[in-house]
Amino acid sequence: MSEKISVLIEEDVVDKRIRELGEQISKDYEGKEVVLVSILRGSIFFTCELAKRITVPVYLDFISVSSYGMDTESSGVVKVIKDLDDSIRDKHVIVVEDIIDTGRTLNYLLGTLKARGPASLKLCAMLDKPDRRVVDVDIDYRGFEIPDKFIVGYGLDYAQKYRNLPYIGIIEFE
Ligand code: IMP
Ligand code: MG
């Protein structure tokens, strides 16, 4: 079975949109500092580009989660593999995620982080696949709404491959 990748969103379009999100966040958080909580591994490319476009002081922290159950769909039972290094108590936190699919991972994670007492907690997602949503998640900052296709590139993987593609692509198997 061979893998075919086609471009869904060109690199310059993604970069422009991230710039806009950065400007919006900079405006909304004027006079404050923000902690970007990046979800490993898929969100790293998006996090770096976004962080560069934010003009208020930015702190970066990383969390890694894995979901139990089937490979193709998250089960909602989420295990923290690597926790944040620093406390988020009384901090303004934005969770940065690559894609919201069923919403289960973020639903769990936002609940966990909220319990740690941040001053505020928001979600910024590069991609939103609303057709697949099982659990409601409020996306405060959204890059693009996309169709129900399997996405690779700009951090997103298929079997750990293709994260480094500079554009957002659709993978198909033939
Ligand atoms: P959710 O809990 O179903 O929303 O799962 C979201 C996670 O599943 C994302 O953080 C990705 O790691 C992964 N995921 C969902 N859809 C895709 C996709 O199209 N390509 C690559 N990874 C995906
Ligand atoms: Mg992910």
Side-chain angles (χ1 to χ4, degrees), residues 39-43 65 67 71-76 78 97-107 127 129 132-134 137 146-153 155-158 163 169 171:
I39 304 174
L40 295 171
R41 296 173 229 177
S43 304
V65 296
S67 53
D71 289 344
T72 50
E73 192 170 312
S74 59
S75 60
V78 175
E97 175 63 314
D98 48 7
I99 187 166
I100 311 293
D101 187 33
T102 65
R104 286 175 169 137
T105 306
L106 258 293
N107 182 60
L127 303 174
K129 230 193 251 181
R132 298 251 312 160
R133 200 62 37 83
V134 175
V137 178
I146 56 159
D148 182 10
K149 301 279 183 195
F150 201 83
I151 302 301
V152 293
L156 288 146
D157 73 300
Y158 167 68
R163 291 192 194 275
I171 186 165

Side-chain angles (χ1 to χ4, degrees), residues 15-172:
D15 290 347
K16 180 170 174 282
R17 184 72 189 115
I18 295 176
R19 200 176 281 262
E20 289 168 0
L21 291 173
E23 282 166 11
Q24 185 64 52
I25 289 169
S26 303
K27 219 181 271 173
D28 295 352
Y29 287 81
E30 211 180 307
K32 297 176 184 146
E33 299 181 331
V34 67
V35 179
L36 298 184
V37 167
S38 180
I39 304 174
L40 295 171
R41 296 173 229 177
S43 304
I44 54 170
F45 292 76
F46 177 42
T47 303
C48 293
E49 291 307 310
L50 182 67
K52 288 194 287 183
R53 306 302 166 202
I54 296 175
T55 53
V56 300
V58 167
Y59 294 81
L60 292 178
D61 209 341
F62 298 89
I63 192 166
S64 181
V65 296
S66 82
S67 53
Y68 292 114
M70 293 179 295
D71 289 344
T72 50
E73 192 170 312
S74 59
S75 60
V77 185
V78 175
K79 185 181 169 196
V80 174
I81 303 290
K82 181 228 169 279
D83 207 341
L84 299 174
D85 288 334
D86 300 327
S87 166
I88 55 167
R89 179 166 296 281
D90 302 327
K91 309 282 187 194
H92 294 289
V93 174
I94 302 176
V95 175
V96 181
E97 175 63 314
D98 48 7
I99 187 166
I100 311 293
D101 187 33
T102 65
R104 286 175 169 137
T105 306
L106 258 293
N107 182 60
Y108 171 85
L109 202 58
L110 289 172
T112 305
L113 295 177
K114 200 167 180 191
R116 300 184 187 184
S120 66
L121 182 62
K122 291 202 172 177
L123 172 61
C124 177
M126 181 173 71
L127 303 174
D128 179 15
K129 230 193 251 181
D131 294 348
R132 298 251 312 160
R133 200 62 37 83
V134 175
V135 187
D136 249 355
V137 178
D138 277 340
I139 305 175
D140 301 286
Y141 303 99
R142 167 177 34 198
F144 302 93
E145 190 175 306
I146 56 159
D148 182 10
K149 301 279 183 195
F150 201 83
I151 302 301
V152 293
Y154 225 102
L156 288 146
D157 73 300
Y158 167 68
Q160 299 304 329
K161 278 190 291 187
Y162 308 120
R163 291 192 194 275
N164 60 314
L165 295 178
Y167 55 85
I168 290 170
I170 293 174
I171 186 165
E172 272 157 337

